[in-house]
Amino acid sequence: MRLRLIPDDTKINFFSYAKLTFGGSIVLLVLSVVAFFAFGLNYGIDFKGGTTIRTESTQSIDVGAYRAALEPLQLGDVAITEVFDPGFGPDRNVAEVRIQAQGDAESVAPETIAAMEAAMTAVDPNVTFASVESVGPKVSGELIGSAILSVVGAIGAIVVYIWLRFEWQFAIGAIVALVHDVGLTIGLFALLQIKFDLAIIAALLTIVGYSINDTVVVFDRVRENLRKFKVMPLIEVLNLSANETLSRTMMTSGTTLLALIALLVLGGDVIRGFVFAITWGIIVGTYSSIYIAKNIVLMLGVKRDWSKKDPRTVGRYADVEGK
C-alpha cells in the first residue's frame, strides 16, 4: 500500500482561474520591478565592496555604543546590525559591522581592523570577533558582472535545450516561467531588504534548474498526450498532462520543502538568506510550471504530431491550435 497525497484520477481544471493566476503573476512581476527600482537590493559585501566584521558577546548588543566608539576612526559609511536567530541562547549576542570600501584598496588595512576591534572591546570587554571578510571595489564590480552573466547564461542554455527537445512554443513558455521565478525572487528580496550576496546568486541558479526540471516533466507528458490524443483540444491535453504529473510534482516539491524548512529553522542565520531564497523559489517554480508555462503554450498553440496514423484524422498533415 503506497502513500497517495494526490489521487491518481484528479481532474482539476487549471485554466478555470487563468485570469486570476496568470494575471496575478503579471501584476506581481510588475510590482517586483517597481520594488527593485524603488528600494534596490540590500547588496552584501560581495557586491558592494568593503569589510564585514562579525562579533559575538555574552552581553546584549548596544548598537549605539558601537557606532559612537567607531565614529572617531572616520571610516565613512558604517552599518551595524544585530543578528537574531532562534538557535542563539541568551548568552550569545551576535552583530555584524559593515564598513564601506576604503578608496581603491582591495581590503581594509590590518591596522584599521585592529583599531576597530580595540574600540569595540572598550565598549564591551567580552566581545569576540568571529570573522572578518573584505572585498575590494574592483573585485565587487567583477562579481556583479559575473553574477549577471551566470544567471543569463543559465537561462539561455536552458532555452536552447528546450527548443531542441521540444518545439519553440515550449521554449517560450519555459523562458517566461524562468523569468517569472527569478523576477519574483529578486522582487521579494528588494521588498524585504534581505542581504543579497553570492550565496543568493547560487540560490537563483538552483531555482532556475529546479523550475525547468518541473516544467520539462509536464512538457514531456504534454508531448506524449498530443501524440496519443490527436483530436483532443489543446486545452484539455494540457489539463490532462498537468493532472497526470500533479502527484509527482507535489511529492517532489513537498519532500524538498521539508528539508528546506528544517534548514530555515535550525540552520542558523549564516545560511538563512540562501535557504529562504531556495524555499521561495521552489514554491514559485512549482506554481509557474503548472500555471505559467502551460498558459504560454496554450496562447501560442502547438503543431500536432501526425507520424502515427489515426483513422479520425486521415488526410490531415498538420493542425495548429490556439485558445
Side-chain angles (χ1 to χ4, degrees):
M1 183 177 180
R2 62 189 180 93
L3 177 65
R4 288 186 178 89
L5 296 180
I6 304 295
D8 291 334
D9 57 346
T10 56
K11 292 180 174 62
I12 302 172
N13 183 4
F14 292 101
F15 293 96
S16 58
Y17 300 101
K19 291 183 179 179
L20 178 63
T21 56
F22 195 74
S25 291
I26 294 175
V27 171
L28 289 177
L29 199 55
V30 171
L31 291 177
S32 296
V33 174
V34 172
F36 175 78
F37 286 104
F39 305 114
L41 292 171
N42 179 21
Y43 290 111
I45 196 73
D46 299 327
F47 297 140
K48 201 172 183 180
T51 298
T52 296
I53 299 177
R54 185 182 176 89
T55 70
E56 294 190 13
S57 177
T58 55
Q59 297 182 12
S60 30
I61 302 296
D62 189 339
V63 174
Y66 276 9
R67 191 182 303 280
L70 294 174
E71 277 182 3
L73 300 178
Q74 297 181 345
L75 299 171
D77 184 19
V78 177
I80 304 173
T81 56
E82 186 173 358
V83 179
F84 297 96
D85 189 283
F88 292 168
D91 59 344
R92 187 182 179 191
N93 301 281
V94 180
E96 283 189 352
V97 182
R98 295 173 59 189
I99 314 147
Q100 69 178 21
Q102 305 294 302
D104 295 328
E106 291 301 314
S107 62
V108 175
E111 298 80 9
T112 304
I113 294 176
M116 293 176 58
E117 292 178 351
M120 287 185 284
T121 303
V123 174
D124 181 2
N126 296 316
V127 70
T128 58
F129 304 95
S131 64
V132 178
E133 299 178 0
S134 296
V135 176
K138 182 179 178 181
V139 174
S140 63
E142 292 175 352
L143 288 175
I144 292 175
S146 299
I148 295 174
L149 286 176
S150 64
V151 175
V152 174
I155 294 177
I158 287 171
V159 170
V160 172
Y161 163 74
I162 297 294
W163 202 309
L164 293 175
R165 182 169 178 180
F166 301 95
E167 294 188 12
W168 65 269
Q169 295 94 334
F170 292 94
I172 299 299
I175 193 171
V176 171
L178 292 179
V179 170
H180 167 272
D181 300 343
V182 173
L184 290 190
T185 303
I186 292 177
L188 186 64
F189 269 71
L191 181 64
L192 300 181
Q193 287 296 290
I194 302 173
K195 186 168 68 175
F196 194 90
D197 52 21
L198 280 179
I200 307 306
I201 296 299
L204 289 178
L205 293 174
T206 304
I207 292 169
V208 168
Y210 191 95
S211 176
I212 200 63
N213 176 71
D214 216 21
T215 303
V216 165
V217 170
V218 177
F219 281 176
D220 259 330
R221 187 56 59 89
V222 170
R223 183 172 58 178
E224 291 173 5
N225 286 333
L226 283 173
R227 293 172 178 172
K228 184 177 180 181
F229 304 103
K230 297 184 182 298
V231 295
M232 180 182 288
L234 179 58
I235 188 171
E236 294 183 19
V237 173
L238 292 170
N239 258 329
L240 175 64
S241 303
N243 278 283
E244 289 178 344
T245 57
L246 184 61
S247 178
R248 178 264 175 204
T249 298
M250 298 306 297
M251 286 291 289
T252 303
S253 300
T255 52
T256 306
L257 285 174
L258 286 176
L260 289 171
I261 291 172
L263 284 174
L264 198 61
V265 175
L266 305 174
D269 66 284
V270 176
I271 64 170
R272 180 156 291 122
F274 172 77
V275 177
F276 175 77
I278 295 183
T279 303
W280 170 254
I282 295 297
I283 295 172
V284 296
T286 303
Y287 170 86
S288 67
S289 65
I290 297 175
Y291 288 103
I292 304 300
K294 292 196 299 81
N295 273 282
I296 297 298
V297 173
L298 179 62
M299 291 176 184
L300 298 176
V302 293
K303 183 182 293 185
R304 295 298 183 106
D305 185 353
W306 299 99
S307 58
K308 296 181 180 180
K309 298 296 183 182
D310 188 307
R312 294 171 296 178
T313 57
V314 174
R316 298 177 64 186
Y317 298 95
D319 183 19
V320 178
E321 298 186 21
K323 290 184 178 181

